[in-house]
Amino acid sequence: MRHVVTGEAVALELSSVSVITRGASLLLDLVIYWTAMVLAFVALGLTGATLEISEAAAAALSLATVIGFLVVVPVAVETLSRGRSVGKLAFGIRVVRDDGGGVRFRHCLIRGLAGFAEIYLTLGLLPLLIGVFTERGKRLGDVMAGTYAIRARHPKVRPVLLPVPPATAAWAELADIGRIPDELAAGASRLLSTVQAAGSTVDRSALTAVSDRLAGEVIRYVAPAPPATSSVEFLTAVMAERRNREYRRLARQQQRAEKLHQRLHRLPYR
């Protein structure tokens, strides 16, 4: 998870993508572009044989086809889709600016021109080496354009339906639960969902190790300290009480919205 500070001084939590995922999406894009380029060359060959095009014109068309499919088309696709391509869409990633904003034509153009040199002239070795040693898995085009890839598609997390444990009910009702980071809350929810689904068949040693680690991170956002209990019960109490408070808050908002709706649609002087 990477923290990005926007121009409005707002901290965003954007998870960057690993070099392996980026390489797989790039490989899929290259297969598509090269397949389209080969088909275009076949069409040009058939057209040239029919129309008897000169060698100079055929060479110019061939060069334009290579530049078009390896530079122009990738730049156009990323610009129109705001940092997406077929490969990135398949792997659920998107290219954004370093401040978390959407990319524009100049970012995509720099990435496309640099990508042609670093990918094809070095056979993909330069992006691999730079991606391993940069903080967010950037390639040279990302460093020059000020961009990087984030994970735009996340797995759905089912809501935790476990109730607050009786031993911690009184504490949870009065505890001050701060804003738990989304990634940490998702990890705790996945753990409790596993406990809820697996029951007694879960590996207790692995469960205890993971729950202790998550509890040590969650406790920093909770005050006062919980009573003596297990880490699983502590996480269950925090997540269940967090869910209950959010439900009550949304219920109050809905009630206020319904009352306002009735007042606005009530006949005058009634």
Side-chain angles (χ1 to χ4, degrees):
M1 183 69 69
R2 303 295 181 185
H3 294 272
V4 176
V5 180
T6 66
E8 292 77 17
V10 178
L12 302 177
E13 294 181 349
L14 302 178
S15 55
S16 57
V17 183
S18 65
V19 177
I20 298 176
T21 304
R22 294 200 62 178
S25 66
L26 175 61
L27 181 61
L28 180 57
D29 286 334
L30 292 181
V31 170
I32 294 174
Y33 294 144
W34 276 85
T35 302
M37 186 174 64
V38 169
L39 294 177
F41 273 119
V42 172
L44 287 176
L46 296 177
T47 304
T50 303
L51 301 179
E52 297 182 356
I53 300 177
S54 64
E55 294 183 359
L61 287 175
S62 300
L63 180 60
T65 302
V66 172
I67 295 176
F69 280 98
L70 301 186
V71 178
V72 177
V73 173
V75 170
V77 169
E78 280 199 358
T79 302
L80 296 176
S81 61
R82 303 298 298 274
R84 304 296 290 270
S85 64
V86 177
K88 295 180 180 63
L89 185 64
F91 286 88
I93 64 178
R94 177 191 295 273
V95 175
V96 297
R97 302 195 307 262
D98 284 339
D99 61 356
V103 293
R104 299 185 182 276
F105 172 72
R106 61 184 180 87
H107 304 101
C108 300
L109 180 61
I110 295 174
R111 281 172 44 82
L113 295 176
F116 180 82
E118 64 177 321
I119 294 173
Y120 296 108
L121 298 184
T122 65
L123 301 179
L125 295 178
L126 185 59
L128 177 62
L129 293 177
I130 296 179
V132 169
F133 291 104
T134 53
E135 182 182 4
R136 296 173 178 170
K138 294 185 174 184
R139 61 178 179 87
L140 182 60
D142 291 315
V143 176
M144 296 173 61
T147 59
Y148 76 108
I150 65 171
R151 196 172 297 278
R153 186 170 62 234
H154 300 273
K156 294 183 179 180
V157 180
R158 294 182 179 180
V160 180
L161 301 179
L162 295 174
V164 178
T168 58
W171 167 82
E173 186 175 355
L174 301 176
D176 182 13
I177 302 176
R179 185 186 181 281
I180 302 175
D182 295 338
E183 190 74 12
L184 181 58
S189 297
R190 284 192 293 266
L191 174 68
L192 297 178
S193 298
T194 302
V195 174
Q196 184 179 12
S200 59
T201 61
V202 68
D203 186 356
R204 290 296 173 182
S205 59
L207 173 67
T208 302
V210 176
S211 62
D212 289 345
R213 178 181 60 83
L214 291 175
E217 298 179 14
V218 171
I219 200 171
R220 295 183 296 176
Y221 304 92
V222 179
T229 183
S230 65
S231 57
V232 175
E233 289 187 347
F234 165 70
L235 292 175
T236 303
V238 171
M239 299 306 295
E241 182 63 26
R242 184 171 176 262
R243 176 201 63 208
N244 295 340
R245 293 181 183 182
E246 184 68 14
Y247 174 78
R248 290 194 293 266
R249 184 184 67 83
L250 293 177
R252 289 193 297 268
Q253 287 184 354
Q254 184 177 3
Q255 290 177 358
R256 288 195 295 266
E258 290 177 354
K259 290 181 180 179
L260 180 61
H261 178 78
Q262 292 176 0
R263 292 182 59 185
L264 292 176
H265 292 80
R266 185 181 302 168
L267 294 176
Y269 311 110
R270 182 175 177 181

